[in-house]
Amino acid sequence: MAYGSARAFAAAFRAIGLDAEPTPPSDHRTRELGAKYTSGDECYPAKVTVGDFMKVLEAAPDPSRVALFMPTAEGPCRFGQYAPYLRHLLDTNHYQDVEILSPTSQNAYQGLGDLAKPFVRTGWRALVAADLLQKMLLIHRPYETARGDVDAVYEASLDDLCRTLETSPVEPGTQLTELVRSMVRSRGRFRSLQARRDGSHPLIGIVGEIFCRLNTFSNENLVRALEEYGAEAWLSDIVEWIWYTESERFRKLKLAGRMWTREALGAWVRDRVQRRDEHALAAPFHDDFAGREEPDVYEVLECARPYLPREGAFGEMVLNVGKAVCLAKKGAAGIIDISPFTCMNGIVCEAIYPRVSRDWGGLPIRNFYFDGTQSDLDRDLGVYMELARGYGRRRGADKT
Ligand code: SF4
């Protein structure tokens, strides 16, 4: 998760009475422990998460009182192995007492017991709200007049969100009212900032593997580096993935001829409720996001269809290709795909991007792979930004 999402998600746990904290910021110790406990064949996100978890256990006075949250998923890639793999590492390194909390929609989140219902809704709202604040951060930061102002407002807004989540009743109506108030307060903070917008900042779409794309330690804070080069980034958020998994649920129910079942009805109600929550939380930012509206997941999937139809491909690769096209339509001057080294999603996308680029008149699309040993990101971004500026100028000229 992104930094803000992890903080908000931990606050959602605290809202239902569980003492939760995000893992501390990743650092050199994360790398050391990740390297110590993994073999090197795993995906880079596995190494970073294992390193972060081991760092928590190393510092815990009583590790047996710690539970680690590691979601799981079914899918074509290695993510589904993360939780069992972590269990194996804990068991073979004297941490048998440490629990892994790995709730899954497949069993209606039974692992959370009676807390499942309030947690699922609170957690969803926390992630939506955190994505909205992150979007405000990225829309404002390239144009700040005093360095650090926008980050400070973002931190204050996250504090506000976490406090609101923790202190509001989990009763759905009251909680939503309080969260919308928190969003309005944050909007006011961002709007009060001085901005220097001169139209010279190319818009760069950022897609890629969800962990590496959102975890600034893993991607060497690529978005920040892009901003240093005078770009504005449009980063694919975490909620996009949740909408995708929901849409997959409907597709599979339809394929199995089970659209008129209790399960389908439950999924439909859940979809309505989630959409209503998202709409309410995003409403205060309607004017701020003008021209930067997130496309619906079905629009993303349709944009991917000529290259990777969802019926024949699965997971992030479909979303990334589709989002790249959506962002091109929204005026992006370039697309960057952030993926871990050897990630199958990144590799498949890299094979598709030349066609997307051709179809969009030479749109610069570049994969950046990360494995913790990056050498010259700064130089590569400098070259890339020249291409993006050139493309932006050509597109501008084409339109006139
Ligand atoms: S998306 Fe890529 S990096 Fe992430 S678990 Fe799957 S294969 Fe590994």
Side-chain angles (χ1 to χ4, degrees), residues 50-70:
V50 164
D52 279 340
F53 282 147
M54 289 304 187
K55 209 167 65 169
V56 169
L57 296 176
E58 198 177 58
D62 179 1
S64 69
R65 294 194 49 76
V66 175
L68 305 171
F69 178 73
M70 171 56 86

Side-chain angles (χ1 to χ4, degrees), residues 43-45 77-79 82 209 316 340 342-345:
C43 310
Y44 185 45
C77 82
R78 291 172 273 188
F79 179 65
Y82 278 31
E209 191 268 346
E316 288 183 316
T342 77
C343 170
M344 57 178 279
N345 285 296

Side-chain angles (χ1 to χ4, degrees), residues 16 24 39 42 56 91 108 114 136 147 150-151 157 168 173 201 220 282 307 326 380:
I16 58 161
S39 70
E42 304 82 356
V56 169
D91 289 346
D114 293 344
M136 286 295 271
R147 196 176 171 82
V150 179
D151 279 332
S157 299
S168 307
H201 288 62
E220 301 188 14
Y307 310 96
C326 284
D380 292 347

Side-chain angles (χ1 to χ4, degrees), residues 294-336:
E294 288 297 327
D296 186 85
V297 70
Y298 288 98
E299 186 184 340
V300 175
L301 294 168
E302 279 313 302
C303 284
R305 184 167 292 287
Y307 310 96
L308 282 179
R310 69 175 310 185
E311 295 79 11
F314 186 67
E316 288 183 316
M317 61 185 83
V318 187
L319 284 179
N320 292 335
V321 168
K323 191 67 176 285
V325 175
C326 284
L327 293 172
K329 285 183 180 173
K330 291 270 189 183
I335 304 292
I336 286 181

Side-chain angles (χ1 to χ4, degrees), residues 252-397:
K252 286 177 183 161
L253 282 167
K254 203 168 168 187
L255 265 182
R258 305 189 63 234
M259 282 307 276
W260 301 104
T261 58
R262 269 174 81 103
E263 186 187 356
L265 178 66
W268 184 83
V269 171
R270 190 182 146 115
D271 182 272
R272 294 292 107 186
V273 169
Q274 288 189 176
R275 279 186 196 279
R276 222 197 85 209
D277 284 356
E278 187 185 47
H279 182 75
L281 291 168
F285 303 106
H286 180 266
D287 294 345
D288 306 78
F289 294 163
R292 299 282 185 273
E293 298 87 354
E294 288 297 327
D296 186 85
V297 70
Y298 288 98
E299 186 184 340
V300 175
L301 294 168
E302 279 313 302
C303 284
R305 184 167 292 287
Y307 310 96
L308 282 179
R310 69 175 310 185
E311 295 79 11
F314 186 67
E316 288 183 316
M317 61 185 83
V318 187
L319 284 179
N320 292 335
V321 168
K323 191 67 176 285
V325 175
C326 284
L327 293 172
K329 285 183 180 173
K330 291 270 189 183
I335 304 292
I336 286 181
D337 181 308
I338 297 178
S339 289
F341 188 56
T342 77
C343 170
M344 57 178 279
N345 285 296
I347 293 166
V348 172
C349 289
E350 192 171 9
I352 304 285
Y353 287 147
R355 247 187 83 199
V356 179
S357 172
R358 226 173 21 245
D359 291 348
W360 281 89
L363 175 73
I365 309 181
R366 158 106 208 233
N367 286 68
F368 281 87
Y369 290 105
F370 292 87
D371 65 355
T373 59
Q374 207 68 17
S375 53
D376 224 339
L377 179 66
D378 196 49
R379 184 203 58 198
D380 292 347
L381 281 180
V383 174
Y384 175 81
M385 281 304 296
E386 280 310 307
L387 292 172
R389 283 187 201 285
Y391 177 81
R393 277 194 294 272
R394 283 202 310 279
R395 296 299 288 187

